[in-house]
Amino acid sequence: METRTLGMRILLKILGCFCMWILVDAQMKIPPETVQQWASVFSVQLRDFSTKYSGSLLFQKKLKDVESIIKIAELNGGDLLRDYSEEIERMLGSKMKSVKRLAESAEDADLYHEYNNSLQFDYYNSMLINTVDEDGNYVELGGEFPLEENEHFNNLPVNTQQSNIQVPTNVYNKDPKLLNAIYNSEALNDVYISNFLRDPTLTWQYFGSSFGFFRIYPGIKWTPDTNGVVAFDCRNRNWYIQAATSPKDIIIMVDISGSMKGLKMTIAKHTINTILDTLGENDFVNVIAYTDYVRYVEPCFRGTLVQADLDNREHFKLLVEELHVKGEAKIKNAMKESFKILNEARMNGQGSMCNQAIMLITDGAMEDFESVFEEFNWPERRVRVFTYLIGREMTFAQKTKWIACNNKGYYTHISTLADVQENVMEYLHVLSRPMVINHDHDIIWTEAYMDTVLPNTKELFNTKAQSLLLMTSVAMPVFSKKKETLSHGILLGVVGTDVPLMEVMKLAPRYMLGPHGYAFLLNNNGYILAHPDLRPLYKDGKKLKPKPNYNSVDLSEVEWEDTDEMLRTPMVKGETGSITLNIRASVDKGKRPMYLINNYFYTDIAETPFSFGMVLTKGHGSLMFTGNVSVEEGLHDLTSPDLSIASEWTYCETDIDPDHRKYTQHQAVIRYLQGMEPDLECDELLLQQTLFDAVVTAPLEAYWNSLMLNDRLEPGVETAFLGTRSGLMRLIRYAGTETRVAKKFLTSSDKDNLFTIDHFPLWYRLAVENTPGRFYYYPVNDKGVKYVIATTAAMVSSGDRTAMAGAIGVQMSLDWLEKRFWAIAKQPSDTDCSNVEGVCPLSCESDELNCFLVDNNGFILLSKERNDTLRERQKRRELILSSCLAQSPRLCTYQSQQPARLFPKMTEMPCHTWVGRFFGEVDGSIMASLIKMGMFKKVSLFDYQAMCKSSHHHASSARSLLSPFYIILALMRWLFSNAVMFVLDFNLCGLWHSDYFVDAKAGYHTSHKQKKVEALQPCDTAYPGFMYDSSVREANSLIKCGRCQNIFSTHCSVCKIHTPPSQALTTSM
């Protein structure tokens, strides 16, 4: 071969097909039958290896043997929905009863207490407990307060016999009013303990006082911030604000005239932000800035009210920061505009349909605008007006106060930033008065939230599944019942308790819903409280953080196939029903798409604003088999060392009796079945199926051990495993820890591959969607640790029904795969090369060739890239769309724009290894040809919870859509990215658009460590997934690319389990 030859490439596709790709001169050829031969030989060896070391044939045979004694039933979604929703109603009803008992106790204690201005009372201050002075004596308000770690409270040190008090730094901890209120609340201690004994599933119980203190049970040691400050004020918490007031429509009017410059404007902005923080998703708001004209802070919200959810509140805050002072204040027109908005909302049935208020923030009101009130608000005074006088000047105090007092509002004077918090909170007391006077003890439920206040909670981010961190609170206001103050409407505070949403979702057992089924919960605003696809956290550098909008994710953003809102609308309305949708789902972080038919069932949860939904996948997801064995027989196999059960599932309820909390689920099941813990409440159906699965899978333990003892294990086979619908798993480690590559695989930290409260293992979900009897192979690249997993489904039949019984597989190293592949992918040394130009005989071990092994979704299982050939390809790519960084020759940076998306993505990848990467990133022209020929099918997927890098300074993704210039820019990007796809479709050299998953990184670029990049922000992304079409068995093509040509030949070869006639599976070869 002449030196001008550019080289050769070989691409092979396993499972779906084998595809050979070569870059050659025009006269070079490669015989397709060569690729076909390699594919056939390798598929047989890979199949035999996977079958042998997984034990899949034995597993299937044992299932065949028990088919005569099993039953397969089709699950009734309506019946399951009714049963689970009733369980949830009982659970949440129990929490509401606990809160009612707390409210009654707090009100009675206040009723019989006489205020004592000289009261001396020592209480346990959570900041000071167990703190001693230099002499070894306990400090005042401290004292000895025993703490003990408790599993029920996230292993935090707590005192379950006593509550204690947290007081914010800005509240004097010995104020007489505070001491009297704390003394009153001592009566709650006994109720806390009594509630916990009645309902051991209760978590934190608390009372937030209108004076600012927070009584929490069980008692804890409160940790201040790094500056020694306790900024937590219970009156700012959503549960307090929602319980203390009814839903409200708020117009915030802020004076931005020239007199507001400097500190006044800073205080005004802080006041606006504090007011916004007191609003929730049941409230509606708008912000108007005024000088000699009226200016909406957000022009797109002109003349209307918007829901005060987290996104909109944060959006307003950003816009408020951009306000600048100028001109002369003309309040009259702004006041008219505010009244018009509120009146129109009330007349049109919009907004909260409850309280309405205007918040006037100014340093003085000089105009006479009594006529405005006469026209819009008097005499009914439906709209309250609250006034906040900013600055030290008191010249206009009387007039500002007159505005508030004549419109059923409240006047406050704010002269420093420290005054803002307390003064803003006063409006909540005013709005709560009608509730207090009428004694409307409305129980409220909050949206889902992540509690980051309690000590050590942030550590849970790294140790718990995301769904375990979310909770909701149920709260109730506490009023003064004293006759002498009844007409004043005095709010004493709010009582409440937290409800971890994981505990709610456990009431819909995972095993009943199947591999792709799930349950979910949303509120009356359509926001998700619990859903397996809800991702509230994101990775910022090495830290996990809550997303800015994690608790305002709409159902339509997760169930995005519900385009006509045929599911969302009835659920928001609290209706009961069912619907079937064709779904494009994905697993493995969005890389592997699949088509499912989901049956949705939904209903409301009585006396709450929640709706419960449940999904059963049509087909195997709706069929469940059951078997029966004796307890004695099952117990023997259940204690096998290679067996485990899903630790996050509830086989037996261990949280009711404190003595049971020390047991794992596996331990609890065994002790219950042995009769050692007869008081345990267990799921009898699940235990029955677990025992049956333990017996059926027991022969695999002996089979795997015999391979280790009697057979010479091939280096590279590391772990065999299986799982069943009951959450049972068996595994054997063929390789020791010191030699095993995949040390994390199937350990407690490997959540993706275990049965969790959110999902079945990844290998299980992939297996059940693949053809039974056929192995599915896929690569894993876990922070540089690379290995391959092979998995297949096992079936069981009864009558005319066939159900999935489980999945079984083997994990192997890349070294084994590579050695086998290189040994096969070569022509014999005695090949006749007399009539062949160029390299002969062909061999993947040759420096002139480069071979790839690709899985069913287009991701590379095996590669052998050479740096010199990569540099040649990078030079050609520079002519099209991308470039290689000169400063870092081993690190290529590509920039791609995704269609219809607003944010570009930078993808960094080492040039010498491609395992686990999408093949289109290696050569887009080949991938485009394979798609065009139908070998791969492109599937459009969407992610409405993504975090993207954006140079735009607004945190809300909604903001960018409001700018016409941004829309034009987005359109240009869309046209450009579609032009890229046009080029690829015509087989020209270039980069494949491969933004299949947003794995954004914040902080610094590795190649520019001195340059800080922008923070991640919520965004919506569209990305492609790819699926192999098994109907296409062969494809050949030639792609011209400047001075080179890509000639590739594709042949299909399936890795399927061969079985003797006596062990024939349900599908034939």
Side-chain angles (χ1 to χ4, degrees):
M1 183 89 182
E2 295 181 4
T3 56
R4 61 185 177 87
T5 301
L6 294 177
M8 307 173 84
R9 303 286 188 277
I10 294 182
L11 166 69
L12 288 94
K13 172 86 173 52
I14 288 292
L15 287 186
C17 59
F18 288 89
C19 175
M20 183 174 72
W21 154 45
I22 305 177
L23 282 173
V24 297
D25 283 337
Q27 66 271 24
M28 279 290 294
K29 302 291 181 184
I30 184 166
E33 58 271 15
T34 300
V35 180
Q36 186 176 30
Q37 181 187 5
W38 292 355
S40 299
V41 174
F42 187 71
S43 68
V44 169
Q45 291 195 14
L46 191 58
R47 177 200 64 209
D48 292 345
F49 175 89
S50 303
T51 302
K52 175 181 177 179
Y53 286 106
S54 68
S56 57
L57 284 181
L58 178 61
F59 187 26
Q60 186 63 66
K61 181 181 182 301
K62 292 302 176 182
L63 288 170
K64 186 76 174 176
D65 293 343
V66 298
E67 285 184 350
S68 60
I69 63 172
I70 61 123
K71 295 180 181 179
I72 298 178
E74 185 169 1
L75 298 174
N76 187 312
D79 290 346
L80 292 178
L81 179 76
R82 183 187 62 251
D83 294 343
Y84 298 159
S85 62
E86 288 176 355
E87 285 291 324
I88 294 173
E89 285 177 6
R90 279 193 287 271
M91 177 195 183
L92 300 185
S94 172
K95 313 305 179 192
M96 290 188 282
K97 289 177 182 177
S98 297
V99 168
K100 288 178 180 177
R101 286 191 286 267
L102 290 173
E104 291 170 359
S105 176
E107 290 182 350
D108 289 343
D110 175 74
L111 178 62
Y112 299 112
H113 173 75
E114 291 187 9
Y115 180 80
N116 182 358
N117 194 50
S118 59
L119 177 67
Q120 297 294 319
F121 175 65
D122 288 335
Y123 58 90
Y124 287 111
N125 188 307
S126 60
M127 272 271 291
L128 304 174
I129 56 171
N130 301 328
T131 303
V132 296
D133 57 21
E134 295 177 353
D135 299 325
N137 300 317
Y138 288 109
V139 299
E140 191 176 13
L141 300 181
E144 183 179 3
F145 195 81
L147 297 172
E148 185 177 348
E149 287 189 4
N150 191 306
E151 287 185 10
H152 185 67
F153 295 95
N154 295 326
N155 288 318
L156 293 175
V158 299
N159 186 331
T160 56
Q161 301 303 313
Q162 183 73 38
S163 64
N164 59 8
I165 303 295
Q166 178 268 336
V167 182
T169 302
N170 63 332
V171 175
Y172 177 44
N173 61 19
K174 282 198 169 185
D175 181 272
K177 292 181 179 178
L178 184 84
L179 288 177
N180 276 266
I182 292 176
Y183 180 82
N184 275 346
S185 68
E186 282 286 302
L188 294 176
N189 265 321
D190 291 340
V191 186
Y192 285 146
I193 297 172
S194 174
N195 280 345
F196 193 42
L197 291 174
R198 289 175 189 236
D199 182 2
T201 65
L202 278 171
T203 56
W204 307 102
Q205 301 175 70
Y206 40 80
F207 169 66
S209 169
S210 59
F211 292 106
F213 74 83
F214 182 62
R215 180 178 288 277
I216 185 171
Y217 173 86
I220 61 170
K221 174 73 173 178
W222 203 279
T223 307
D225 62 21
T226 53
N227 298 318
V229 175
V230 179
F232 174 80
D233 189 328
C234 62
R235 296 168 296 179
N236 296 337
R237 303 294 282 181
N238 206 12
W239 52 266
Y240 185 99
I241 294 167
Q242 288 187 39
T245 63
S246 301
K248 47 198 171 292
D249 301 334
I250 300 291
I251 300 291
I252 302 175
M253 290 174 46
V254 57
D255 181 353
I256 57 170
S257 62
S259 62
M260 288 285 290
K261 66 181 179 180
L263 180 61
K264 288 183 181 180
M265 197 63 219
T266 302
I267 295 173
K269 290 178 179 179
H270 186 38
T271 302
I272 295 172
N273 291 342
T274 306
I275 293 172
L276 289 171
D277 285 337
T278 66
L279 305 180
E281 60 188 32
N282 292 320
D283 303 318
F284 291 79
V285 68
N286 207 336
V287 181
I288 292 177
Y290 69 90
T291 53
D292 49 359
Y293 65 95
V294 177
R295 171 189 167 186
Y296 283 87
V297 171
E298 175 49 78
C300 289
F301 297 159
R302 175 177 294 274
T304 188
L305 293 166
V306 296
Q307 189 176 19
D309 58 21
L310 183 62
D311 278 350
N312 284 331
R313 295 200 307 268
E314 294 302 314
H315 178 54
F316 276 127
K317 288 180 182 180
L318 288 169
L319 298 176
V320 165
E321 286 302 313
E322 298 176 353
L323 293 176
H324 300 286
V325 298
K326 60 179 178 180
E328 181 182 354
K330 300 290 184 180
I331 192 173
K332 197 169 185 178
N333 290 335
M335 190 68 75
K336 283 185 177 181
E337 187 72 12
S338 299
F339 276 116
K340 286 179 181 179
I341 294 173
L342 295 174
N343 288 344
E344 287 178 6
R346 183 175 62 251
M347 293 174 63
N348 296 329
Q350 299 172 339
S352 67
M353 296 300 294
C354 198
N355 291 310
Q356 292 189 323
I358 295 173
M359 308 299 200
L360 175 60
I361 302 170
T362 182
D363 63 345
M366 297 179 289
E367 294 178 79
D368 181 9
F369 34 79
E370 186 172 335
S371 60
V372 177
F373 299 138
E374 290 176 345
E375 180 181 356
F376 292 99
N377 206 36
W378 292 350
E380 293 87 354
R381 292 175 170 81
R382 292 192 180 97
V383 179
R384 297 177 184 267
V385 181
F386 297 85
T387 56
Y388 301 88
L389 184 63
I390 306 298
R392 299 186 182 277
E393 293 291 333
M394 298 292 292
T395 307
F396 301 102
Q398 195 61 35
K399 197 161 190 177
T400 309
K401 185 176 181 180
W402 179 90
I403 294 173
C405 294
N406 282 276
N407 289 278
K408 299 172 68 174
Y410 194 88
Y411 157 80
T412 57
H413 178 215
I414 304 176
S415 57
T416 67
L417 286 169
D419 297 336
V420 172
Q421 184 68 48
E422 286 293 321
N423 284 291
V424 165
M425 298 305 296
E426 291 295 338
Y427 96 87
L428 294 176
H429 294 190
V430 175
L431 290 184
S432 69
R433 284 174 187 166
M435 293 175 56
V436 179
I437 294 171
N438 296 326
H439 273 248
D440 293 333
H441 284 83
D442 293 334
I443 289 182
I444 65 96
W445 290 87
T446 68
E447 73 276 11
Y449 69 95
M450 203 173 293
D451 198 339
T452 58
V453 174
L454 295 175
N456 303 323
T457 305
K458 292 183 179 179
E459 295 177 7
L460 300 177
F461 287 10
N462 297 315
T463 59
K464 299 287 186 181
Q466 296 194 22
S467 60
L468 308 190
L469 299 168
L470 291 172
M471 62 181 67
T472 182
S473 294
V474 54
M476 188 174 183
V478 178
F479 307 134
S480 173
K481 297 195 295 187
K482 292 180 178 179
K483 292 183 179 178
E484 60 271 24
T485 59
L486 194 60
S487 61
H488 298 172
I490 296 177
L491 175 72
L492 300 176
V494 173
V495 291
T497 184
D498 294 338
V499 182
L501 290 166
M502 177 196 67
E503 298 301 323
V504 180
M505 303 317 293
K506 278 184 177 180
L507 298 177
R510 198 74 188 76
Y511 74 97
M512 292 294 292
L513 304 178
H516 295 298
Y518 53 89
F520 59 98
L521 205 65
L522 71 154
N523 64 17
N524 57 344
N525 288 302
Y527 293 147
I528 291 174
L529 286 90
H531 194 291
D533 290 334
L534 178 65
R535 306 193 312 275
L537 301 177
Y538 76 102
K539 198 166 186 180
D540 186 2
K542 295 183 179 180
K543 295 182 179 179
L544 284 173
K545 295 181 178 180
K547 294 177 181 177
N549 59 339
Y550 75 91
N551 62 354
S552 59
V553 177
D554 195 271
L555 180 66
S556 61
E557 295 177 302
V558 175
E559 301 288 349
W560 46 266
E561 292 280 21
D562 182 30
T563 54
D564 297 326
E565 297 196 353
M566 297 174 65
L567 173 66
R568 182 187 185 278
T569 299
M571 290 194 71
V572 169
K573 291 181 178 179
E575 299 175 0
T576 299
S578 62
I579 186 178
T580 300
L581 293 175
N582 293 319
I583 297 298
R584 285 168 289 173
S586 64
V587 296
D588 197 10
K589 299 179 180 178
K591 294 190 292 187
R592 306 187 185 279
M594 56 183 62
Y595 289 99
L596 303 173
I597 301 176
N598 283 350
N599 295 316
Y600 292 82
F601 304 87
Y602 53 86
T603 190
D604 70 314
I605 303 299
E607 297 187 45
T608 74
F610 305 147
S611 285
F612 171 72
M614 188 187 76
V615 174
L616 293 176
T617 304
K618 190 174 181 180
H620 63 78
S622 299
L623 295 175
M624 182 175 175
F625 88 94
T626 55
N628 201 3
V629 295
S630 67
V631 172
E632 293 76 14
E633 184 182 7
L635 255 177
H636 176 268
D637 293 319
L638 198 60
T639 56
S640 300
D642 71 323
L643 184 147
S644 63
I645 59 176
S647 61
E648 292 183 11
W649 292 12
T650 304
Y651 296 81
C652 294
E653 184 55 71
T654 58
D655 210 25
I656 296 177
D657 188 337
D659 292 336
H660 295 156
R661 289 176 186 150
K662 60 187 176 185
Y663 300 134
T664 65
Q665 282 296 312
H666 199 173
Q667 292 170 339
V669 167
I670 292 174
R671 293 181 69 85
Y672 173 76
L673 293 173
Q674 290 175 337
M676 301 174 66
E677 297 288 353
D679 295 333
L680 276 167
E681 294 182 12
C682 298
D683 187 329
E684 296 293 341
L685 178 60
L686 180 55
L687 290 192
Q688 173 187 322
Q689 192 58 38
T690 304
L691 287 172
F692 183 81
D693 290 347
V695 172
V696 173
T697 60
L700 270 299
E701 179 187 14
Y703 174 82
W704 290 335
N705 284 322
S706 68
L707 288 179
M708 293 187 67
L709 295 174
N710 304 323
D711 193 46
R712 183 178 179 181
L713 290 175
E714 295 195 41
V717 55
E718 297 191 345
T719 303
F721 55 89
L722 67 81
T724 68
R725 187 163 176 160
S726 66
L728 178 145
M729 280 185 58
R730 289 185 184 270
L731 66 89
I732 189 170
R733 303 292 191 183
Y734 288 124
T737 306
E738 65 283 353
T739 59
R740 195 165 65 243
V741 174
K743 291 181 172 60
K744 180 183 174 183
F745 181 60
L746 294 182
T747 63
S748 58
S749 61
D750 187 17
K751 294 293 184 182
D752 287 342
N753 289 306
L754 299 178
F755 291 93
T756 71
I757 194 68
D758 281 339
H759 56 71
F760 276 54
L762 173 61
W763 46 266
Y764 195 112
R765 289 177 285 166
L766 289 171
V768 298
E769 291 306 316
N770 195 39
T771 304
R774 184 179 298 175
F775 275 97
Y776 184 101
Y777 297 82
Y778 65 98
V780 177
N781 188 341
D782 182 15
K783 298 178 181 178
V785 179
K786 306 177 185 69
Y787 51 93
V788 175
I789 293 175
T791 179
T792 186
M795 311 290 293
V796 63
S797 298
S798 178
D800 59 348
R801 289 175 172 170
T802 300
M804 292 287 179
I808 189 168
V810 63
Q811 174 262 316
M812 63 195 82
S813 70
L814 277 173
D815 287 342
W816 178 90
L817 200 67
E818 184 180 83
K819 289 176 183 177
R820 282 294 183 97
F821 183 66
W822 301 150
I824 293 169
K826 63 172 63 176
Q827 291 177 321
S829 57
D830 58 353
T831 300
D832 183 6
C833 299
S834 58
N835 297 320
V836 178
E837 291 190 40
V839 178
C840 184
L842 294 174
S843 171
C844 279
E845 293 183 300
S846 168
D847 290 340
E848 288 82 8
L849 297 179
N850 215 321
C851 306
F852 291 89
L853 207 60
V854 183
D855 71 15
N856 275 17
N857 300 109
F859 292 93
I860 298 173
L861 279 161
L862 192 65
S863 71
K864 192 183 176 185
E865 279 286 3
R866 303 298 183 188
N867 289 334
D868 55 345
T869 58
L870 270 175
R871 282 193 290 270
E872 291 297 323
R873 181 179 301 149
Q874 288 154 12
K875 290 177 182 178
R876 295 193 297 275
R877 282 175 173 167
E878 287 176 357
L879 301 176
I880 311 296
L881 295 173
S882 57
S883 61
C884 219
L885 293 179
Q887 306 96 310
S888 182
R890 295 177 63 83
L891 189 68
C892 295
T893 302
Y894 306 104
Q895 182 171 2
S896 62
Q897 312 291 340
Q898 48 186 342
R901 289 308 319 128
L902 306 180
F903 302 94
K905 171 178 178 275
M906 299 297 295
T907 304
E908 297 177 348
M909 47 196 166
C911 292
H912 64 280
T913 179
W914 302 91
V915 174
R917 307 297 304 200
F918 179 57
F919 176 64
E921 295 177 272
V922 178
D923 195 288
S925 58
I926 297 289
M927 194 69 196
S929 293
L930 293 176
I931 293 173
K932 190 173 182 180
M933 290 183 288
M935 184 153 286
F936 280 95
K937 181 190 298 182
K938 180 181 175 182
V939 182
S940 296
L941 299 168
F942 302 91
D943 182 5
Y944 297 105
Q945 302 177 68
M947 297 292 290
C948 302
K949 296 176 183 178
S950 173
S951 57
H952 203 276
H953 61 281
H954 293 291
S956 173
S957 58
R959 168 59 184 159
S960 59
L961 297 176
L962 300 175
S963 169
F965 298 104
Y966 206 87
I967 293 173
I968 293 172
L969 180 59
L971 178 61
M972 292 174 64
R973 287 175 173 172
W974 182 85
L975 290 172
F976 176 75
S977 58
N978 275 271
V980 173
M981 298 303 294
F982 177 83
V983 169
L984 293 177
D985 283 344
F986 278 83
N987 301 330
L988 298 179
C989 284
L991 277 180
W992 180 254
H993 171 71
S994 58
D995 196 4
Y996 51 84
F997 181 67
V998 178
D999 185 17
K1001 297 179 181 179
Y1004 300 86
H1005 283 304
T1006 50
S1007 57
H1008 300 282
K1009 293 187 180 293
Q1010 286 74 33
K1011 184 178 179 181
K1012 191 171 182 178
V1013 301
E1014 60 274 11
L1016 299 178
Q1017 299 175 4
C1019 63
D1020 301 338
T1021 62
Y1023 63 97
F1026 299 89
M1027 299 175 67
Y1028 164 65
D1029 186 347
S1030 58
S1031 65
V1032 181
R1033 304 302 298 270
E1034 182 174 344
N1036 302 279
S1037 185
L1038 181 147
I1039 302 174
K1040 292 186 177 181
C1041 180
R1043 296 185 298 111
C1044 66
Q1045 294 181 1
N1046 291 354
I1047 303 175
F1048 66 91
S1049 179
T1050 302
H1051 299 271
C1052 299
S1053 183
V1054 173
C1055 289
K1056 187 174 182 181
I1057 303 174
H1058 286 283
T1059 58
S1062 60
Q1063 301 175 15
L1065 304 182
T1066 55
T1067 56
S1068 60
M1069 283 297 295

